[in-house]
């Protein structure tokens, strides 16, 4: 046995020992958070047994087991003795309880007779007589799933038996392999343990290896011991004393991790050439790989849905607000009939071919925008349509389902207005869309995608909370809910389908509690407010007055339309603040001493804003993002990290390695097409020699940009 490393823990909030078990749970259920070469882990079975006083009789005896190997449901006690409220791992393929019991019987007996050293490692030093409750062992059977990669052969998933001994503060990972008869047995290699110690008022966490000379590293599921001692232990130590809980579920909790990993790699290889031919101004790598990931998720979700229903016909879909249409293109190519609709045509649409059906048009929620023959409605960053998609799906047909990935915060009419400061704006908006789905009669599930975006939580409505015979009553409830969101007085229609008084009172109380106001920042919303105040009812077929789809011609509000002189003035002002208000010298900079180059300090965005006059701030506020957007757009001069502004040091840029291929080609096209700001304005000149700087050191180095060349060559 070897202790690789021991780390002291600072616990000012008194989170230990519970924090240690919370950190262990992350490593158990979401190992990909620490080991980026993993896709995740699948919890196969959970159980509990009693540790005998006599270690020689460690095998669980008849009648000693608690829980009989059954998986503990969310909300039951965890090893740290508290209800589990965190995200649960996907448990597809859960092993029967009897299998876990049988496995532990074989393992414990084999350790007693054939490997007492591993038994001693598993149990640690004797703690003397303990209360029976303190001798419980938690057993977890998990499958660790490696990430599929084109750069290395696919490593097969590995099974592990994890033994948590709360009384001794240890959790031991026992690798499993199949014998000739197909039974799982413990391997003697790659056995390791995490241990929490408390000594003289101080907490420590350590990682131990049972037999270091037998450790075999595959570089994926089992990294080198040094990685366990440095990377993993450091992360566990940090998680154990972090006083925060995630507002969101674990990623990919509703689909098979193994299937996702393999399919994502296949689709990524299949559609990676889209990055090279991307004609839009958006970042090709982000959008291509994000849509590949979303498509992978939907394809597996639908694949599993077909298996559940015992059908083979692939689901149809409509993507509302489809944007560049790549998601529609991938889903169609993979055999799902469907189409995309967006108010504005994109250049890339022409590249997909006739099999990808994309339509230019607006969607105004009404009786005319229903899709009765469609299985799924998709809202991928669908902006003002996001809260409407559950409504449209519910009214299209009883069998229509929905998938939404909310991004921008919209209510049914206008911008969504926050009501609860206790939640983040994003969490509150997700809860609102979830509320819409529930009010429309859906069982709504939440999951977190693996995409390069901060807004990656999706909401899924696969089934209804009511039978088909109650459709008329349920649609009346939807109408009431829509009107309550717009401030309409609630009607009380009678008839066979009218709800009872208690139902109505309870329903109305819930709606009153969740009521928000609408944004009055646009002409469309003002029209809606006028209608609410008695200017008239919605037009025939429309569900609410005042809804307005986004403009067909997208308005540029990213500070790019601001006058160049104004932008230069702000850049100089901010740079002056960062360089301690030194006056700029615009003389020859090549001869300056680069060793003493002034990189300036850093200021928060609030501190920068406080130094600008009100007129400048008001002008910036009219642009999306305001001051922060202007500074980020001026990336030659500034770097904005975690809300703080710094002078960019181009020496570090050259040390960051090669950029992606698409960005390399872009960099080559703009090389030396603009004057170097530092050469012209910085008191110490440019930190790079002219040969290495991507910007021109003087007019003689300036090249004509490709755009200007094309304009001059045009007839």
């Amino acid at each position: 046995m070897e202790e690789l490393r021991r780390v002291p823990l600072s616990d000012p909030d008194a989170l230990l020992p519970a924090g240690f078990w919370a950190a262990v749970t992350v490593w158990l259920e979401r190992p990909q958070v620490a080991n980026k070469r993993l896709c995740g882990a699948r919890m196969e079975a959970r159980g509990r047994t009693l540790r005998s006083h006599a270690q020689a009789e460690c095998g669980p005896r008849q009648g000693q087991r608690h829980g009989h190997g059954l998986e503990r449901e969310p909300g039951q006690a965890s090893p740290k003795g508290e209800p589990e409220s965190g995200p649960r791992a996907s448990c597809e393929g859960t092993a029967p309880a009897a299998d876990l019991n049988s496995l532990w019987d074989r393992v414990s007996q084999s350790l007693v007779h054939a490997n007492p050293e591993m038994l001693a490692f598993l149990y640690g030093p004797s703690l003397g007589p303990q209360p029976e409750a303190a001798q419980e062992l938690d057993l977890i059977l998990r499958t660790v799933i490696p990430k599929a990669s084109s750069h290395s052969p696919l490593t097969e998933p590995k099974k592990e038996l994890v033994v948590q001994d709360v009384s001794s503060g240890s959790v031991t990972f026992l690798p499993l392999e199949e014998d000739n008869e197909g039974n799982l047995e413990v391997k003697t290699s790659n056995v390791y343990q995490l241990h929490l110690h408390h000594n003289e008022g101080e907490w420590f966490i350590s990682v131990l290896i049972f037999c270091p000379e037998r450790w075999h590293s595959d570089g994926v599921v089992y990294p080198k011991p040094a990685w366990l001692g440095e990377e993993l232990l450091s992360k566990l130590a940090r998680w154990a004393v972090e006083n925060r809980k995630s507002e969101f579920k674990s990623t990919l909790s509703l689909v098979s991790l193994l299937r996702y990993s393999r399919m994502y790699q296949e689709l990524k290889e299949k559609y990676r050439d889209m990055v090279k031919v991307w004609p839009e101004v958006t970042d090709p790598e982000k959008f291509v790989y994000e849509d590949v990931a979303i498509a992978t998720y939907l394809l597996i979700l639908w694949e599993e849905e077909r298996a559940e229903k015992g059908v083979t016909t692939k689901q149809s879909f409509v993507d509302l607000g489809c944007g560049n249409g790549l998601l529609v293109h991938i889903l169609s190519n993979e055999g799902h009939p469907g189409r995309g609709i967006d108010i504005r045509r994109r250049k890339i649409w022409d590249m997909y071919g006739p099999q990808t059906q994309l339509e230019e048009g607006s969607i105004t929620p009404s009786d005319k925008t229903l899709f009765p023959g469609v299985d799924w409605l998709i809202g991928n960053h669908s902006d003002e349509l996001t809260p409407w998609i559950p409504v449209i799906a519910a009214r299209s047909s009883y069998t229509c389902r929905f998938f939404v990935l909310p991004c921008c915060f919209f209510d049914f009419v206008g911008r969504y207005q926050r009501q609860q400061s206790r939640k983040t704006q994003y969490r509150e908006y997700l809860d609102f869309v979830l509320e819409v789905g529930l009010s429309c009669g859906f069982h709504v599930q939440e999951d977190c995608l693996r995409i390069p975006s901060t807004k990656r939580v999706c909401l899924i409505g696969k089934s209804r909370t009511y039978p088909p015979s109650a459709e008329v009553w349920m649609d009346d409830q939807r109408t009431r809910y829509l009107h309550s969101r717009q401030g309409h007085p609630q009607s009380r229609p009678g008839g066979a389908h009218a709800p009872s008084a208690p139902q109505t009172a309870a329903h109305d109380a819930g709606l009153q509690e969740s009521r928000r106001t609408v944004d009055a920042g646009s002409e469309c919303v003002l029209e809606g407010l006028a209608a609410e105040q008695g200017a008239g009812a919605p037009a025939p077929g429309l569900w609410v007055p005042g809804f307005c789809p986004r403009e067909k011609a997208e308005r540029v509000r990213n500070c790019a339309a601001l006058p160049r002189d104004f932008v230069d003035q702000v850049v100089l002002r901010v740079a002056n603040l960062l360089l301690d208000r030194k006056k700029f010298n615009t003389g020859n900079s090549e001869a300056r001493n680069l060793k003493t180059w002034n990189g300036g300090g850093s200021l928060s965005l609030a501190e920068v804003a406080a130094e600008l006059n009100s007129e400048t701030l008001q002008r910036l506020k009219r642009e999306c993002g305001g001051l922060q957007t202007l500074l980020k757009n001026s990336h030659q001069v500034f770097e904005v990290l975690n809300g703080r502004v710094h002078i960019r040091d181009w020496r570090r840029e050259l040390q960051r390695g090669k950029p992606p291929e698409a960005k390399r080609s872009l960099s080559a096209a703009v090389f030396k097409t603009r004057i170097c700001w530092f050469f012209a304005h910085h008191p110490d000149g440019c930190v790079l020699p002219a040969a290495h700087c991507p910007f021109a050191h003087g007019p003689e180095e300036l090249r004509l940009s490709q755009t200007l060349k094309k304009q001059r060559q045009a007839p």
Side-chain angles (χ1 to χ4, degrees):
M1 181 184 78
E2 177 184 336
E3 183 176 81
L4 291 177
R5 189 182 173 211
R6 178 179 294 205
V7 176
L9 300 177
S10 174
D11 187 25
D13 297 319
L15 299 176
L16 297 171
F20 169 73
W21 294 109
V24 167
T25 299
V26 174
W27 175 237
L28 274 173
E29 300 183 353
R30 294 182 287 161
Q32 74 278 4
V33 176
N35 185 350
K36 301 302 181 184
R37 295 183 178 180
L38 298 179
C39 181
R42 183 173 61 202
M43 302 298 105
E44 304 285 5
R46 294 177 185 263
R48 186 174 294 172
T49 187
L50 286 181
R51 174 177 137 175
S52 172
H53 288 298
Q55 294 185 0
E57 298 176 354
C58 69
R61 292 173 297 199
Q62 188 67 28
Q64 280 188 325
R65 291 190 182 92
H66 289 238
H68 305 289
L70 295 176
E71 181 178 347
R72 184 167 48 247
E73 294 297 326
Q76 284 187 263
S78 67
K80 59 192 180 208
E82 297 176 351
E84 289 188 353
S85 58
R88 304 293 297 167
S90 178
C91 292
E92 72 274 8
T94 301
D99 289 352
L100 183 60
N101 295 341
S102 175
L103 173 61
W104 178 245
D105 284 339
R106 290 197 309 275
V107 168
S108 57
Q109 293 301 324
S110 68
L111 294 181
V112 168
H113 300 296
N115 204 333
E117 295 86 359
M118 188 181 294
L119 181 67
F121 177 78
L122 177 64
Y123 281 164
S126 175
L127 300 177
Q130 298 286 328
E132 182 173 292
Q135 299 177 63
E136 288 184 341
L137 299 178
D138 285 278
L139 307 176
I140 301 109
L141 179 63
R142 74 167 183 167
T143 299
V144 183
I145 302 169
K147 184 181 292 184
S149 171
S150 60
H151 305 296
S152 59
L154 179 65
T155 303
E156 288 300 316
K158 300 289 197 313
K159 289 190 183 300
E160 289 181 335
L161 179 62
V162 183
V163 182
Q164 295 185 144
D165 187 349
V166 179
S167 65
S168 67
S170 68
V171 53
T172 307
F173 296 79
L174 305 173
L176 302 174
E177 61 183 353
E178 290 187 358
D179 60 17
N180 294 332
E181 298 178 358
N183 296 317
L184 292 173
E185 300 291 344
V186 174
K187 296 170 62 176
T188 57
S189 62
N190 295 6
V191 176
Y192 68 100
Q193 184 180 93
L194 304 171
H195 197 183
L196 180 69
H197 318 258
H198 190 244
N199 186 26
E200 297 181 355
E202 289 191 78
W203 290 99
F204 300 88
I205 184 174
S206 62
V207 58
L208 305 92
I209 291 182
F210 168 61
C211 194
E213 61 272 16
R214 292 182 180 176
W215 187 273
H216 171 69
S217 173
D218 61 11
V220 182
V221 176
Y222 296 108
K224 294 179 179 179
W227 185 89
L228 294 176
E230 296 295 331
E231 296 293 330
L232 177 60
L233 196 61
S234 297
K235 287 183 170 63
L236 290 171
R238 187 177 77 249
W239 298 339
V241 294
E242 279 185 339
N243 192 8
R244 64 177 187 176
K245 293 183 179 179
S246 174
E247 295 180 301
F248 310 110
K249 290 175 70 70
S250 176
T251 58
L252 309 180
S253 63
L254 300 179
V255 298
S256 165
L257 288 174
L258 181 58
R259 184 79 181 104
Y260 178 90
S261 179
R262 290 175 173 172
M263 183 181 287
Y264 175 74
Q265 189 59 40
E266 292 170 5
L267 296 181
K268 186 177 178 182
E269 290 296 316
K270 187 173 181 179
Y271 296 101
R272 69 183 314 146
D273 286 344
M274 294 296 301
V275 173
K276 300 177 182 177
V277 297
W278 193 259
E280 305 291 337
V281 296
T282 51
D283 182 357
E285 289 196 328
K286 178 188 184 301
F287 282 89
V288 170
Y289 296 136
E290 179 173 319
D291 282 355
V292 165
I294 297 170
T296 302
Y297 185 90
L298 285 171
L299 289 170
I300 295 173
L301 187 73
W302 294 347
E303 186 179 89
E304 294 176 351
E305 182 185 59
R306 293 195 301 274
E308 290 171 8
K309 295 183 176 182
V311 299
T312 57
T313 304
K314 291 191 174 182
Q315 296 90 331
S316 59
F317 70 92
V318 173
D319 186 351
L320 300 177
C322 65
N324 59 54
L326 181 57
L327 180 60
V328 177
H329 176 65
I330 296 173
L331 295 175
S332 299
N333 265 9
E334 300 306 313
H336 288 269
R339 58 193 172 113
I341 304 173
D342 199 277
I343 197 167
R344 184 166 54 86
R345 185 179 185 84
R346 308 300 202 275
K347 290 180 285 186
I348 197 172
W349 287 13
D350 296 327
M351 299 176 60
Y352 294 137
Q355 78 282 0
T356 302
Q357 297 184 37
L358 298 169
E359 302 173 11
E360 185 178 14
S362 63
I363 297 289
T364 299
S366 67
D367 295 341
K368 296 180 180 179
T369 53
L370 298 177
F371 305 90
V374 172
D375 295 318
W376 282 81
L377 295 187
I378 298 172
N380 174 20
H381 299 316
S382 45
D383 293 346
E384 75 278 3
L385 288 175
T386 296
W388 283 107
I389 287 175
V391 184
I392 297 172
R395 287 181 164 175
S396 290
S397 72
Y398 183 79
T399 58
C400 188
R401 288 85 80 192
F402 74 84
F403 168 95
V404 291
L405 184 61
C407 180
C408 300
F409 308 139
F410 282 89
D411 208 316
F412 291 112
V413 176
R415 288 279 183 176
Y416 178 81
Q417 298 295 311
R418 293 190 66 180
Q419 293 294 302
Q420 297 191 32
S421 59
R422 296 189 305 272
K423 300 179 182 178
T424 64
Q425 185 178 17
Y426 184 41
R427 180 67 263 175
E428 185 182 336
Y429 186 68
L430 290 171
D431 289 344
F432 161 58
V433 179
L434 187 147
E435 174 189 285
V436 174
L438 293 174
S439 300
C440 289
F442 284 99
H443 291 291
V444 183
Q445 295 174 291
E446 180 179 307
D447 206 353
C448 193
L449 305 185
R450 287 187 187 170
I451 56 176
S453 172
T454 56
K455 308 290 175 57
R456 53 198 187 100
V457 176
C458 67
L459 298 169
I460 300 167
K462 290 176 61 178
S463 60
R464 304 294 176 98
T465 59
Y466 61 95
S469 58
E471 181 60 48
V472 174
W473 177 86
M474 192 66 231
D475 196 56
D476 180 64
Q477 302 307 300
R478 294 181 199 121
T479 301
R480 293 171 185 271
Y481 178 69
L482 290 173
H483 286 180
S484 76
R485 298 288 306 180
Q486 301 302 307
H488 283 273
Q490 298 215 10
S491 59
R492 292 285 187 268
H497 298 288
S500 65
Q503 288 174 321
T504 301
H507 184 74
D508 291 351
L511 294 178
Q512 290 294 331
E513 182 180 353
S514 62
R515 183 170 295 162
R516 277 46 164 208
T517 57
V518 295
D519 177 47
S522 66
E523 294 180 1
C524 294
V525 182
L526 289 173
E527 292 170 5
L529 290 173
E532 293 167 19
Q533 296 168 0
L542 291 180
W543 295 338
V544 297
F547 174 84
C548 188
R550 76 187 84 164
E551 298 176 4
K552 183 173 181 178
E554 194 169 27
R555 184 183 168 193
V556 178
R557 294 177 59 206
N558 62 356
C559 297
L562 290 172
R564 187 73 253 173
D565 290 346
F566 174 79
V567 173
D568 290 344
Q569 181 183 4
V570 175
V571 169
L572 285 168
R573 174 67 174 144
V574 175
N576 193 30
L577 291 171
L578 296 173
L579 292 170
D580 297 325
R581 302 180 182 274
K582 291 182 180 178
K583 292 183 178 179
F584 298 134
N585 189 325
T586 57
N588 181 14
S589 64
E590 295 291 345
R592 303 242 167 65
N593 184 357
L594 299 182
K595 293 182 180 178
T596 59
W597 191 79
N598 180 11
S602 74
L603 291 171
S604 68
L605 287 165
E607 289 170 330
V608 173
E611 297 292 335
L612 301 178
N613 61 51
S614 59
E615 183 182 348
T616 298
L617 291 175
Q618 286 298 323
R619 197 168 183 180
L620 289 171
K621 275 186 178 180
R622 291 193 286 268
E623 302 293 318
C624 290
L627 175 62
Q628 181 172 224
T629 298
L630 184 144
L631 296 176
K632 285 188 173 181
N633 286 352
S634 304
H635 51 78
Q636 182 192 163
V637 185
F638 302 114
E639 195 171 24
V640 183
L641 296 172
N642 301 320
R644 297 194 69 83
V645 187
H646 309 256
I647 293 287
R648 187 176 294 277
D649 188 339
W650 280 88
R651 291 172 296 191
R652 288 198 298 267
E653 300 298 319
L654 297 181
Q655 295 169 359
R656 288 177 179 173
K658 292 184 178 180
E661 183 177 344
K663 292 185 178 179
R664 285 202 300 272
S665 60
L666 179 64
S667 299
V670 299
F671 188 74
K672 299 288 187 183
T673 58
R674 285 192 290 165
I675 289 288
C676 174
W677 185 92
F678 296 97
F679 174 85
H681 300 291
H682 194 285
D684 297 328
C686 180
V687 74
L688 297 176
H692 294 153
C693 182
F695 302 96
H697 284 204
E700 64 279 1
E701 287 191 8
L702 271 176
R703 294 171 56 244
L704 198 61
S705 69
Q706 295 297 320
T707 304
L708 288 175
K709 280 185 180 179
K710 290 178 181 178
Q711 290 176 351
R712 292 188 179 184
Q713 291 170 359

